[in-house]
Amino acid sequence: YEIGDGLTLMNIVTKNENGKTRAVHTYIGYEGEGFACVAHSEGLDEPGVIYSYSSHVRMLKANLPYLLDCFWSNIK
């Protein structure tokens, strides 16, 4: 996702053998210059876990200022 100032937010989704989302790792960075991991969620396929990718994306958008702070802290 383009998030402004040339930055891209990218989610890497890992699925289990049944095709259910197991983990999501979120990175922010510049195309061609590298990315920094700013968030990750794991165990999303565990029994009792209710998970929705669209809700996950909404949560990331709501917390974008915090994620950008993490990014800027990681690249210094």
Side-chain angles (χ1 to χ4, degrees):
Y1 306 92
E2 293 296 322
I3 57 174
D5 297 326
L7 289 168
T8 299
L9 182 144
M10 174 176 52
N11 290 319
I12 304 296
V13 179
T14 305
K15 297 193 177 215
N16 66 18
E17 57 279 348
N18 297 323
K20 191 171 180 183
T21 299
R22 178 181 357 169
V24 179
H25 291 81
T26 302
Y27 297 84
I28 292 178
Y30 295 101
E31 290 288 333
E33 294 185 34
F35 288 80
C37 185
V38 295
H40 63 88
S41 299
E42 298 183 24
L44 302 173
D45 60 343
E46 297 291 325
V49 173
I50 299 170
Y51 173 76
S52 159
Y53 184 75
S54 60
S55 293
H56 186 91
V57 170
R58 280 193 302 276
M59 184 272 310
L60 291 173
K61 287 181 181 179
N63 289 294
L64 189 56
Y66 171 76
L67 296 174
L68 286 167
D69 284 344
C70 291
F71 169 73
W72 292 117
S73 295
N74 280 318
I75 64 163
K76 292 182 181 180

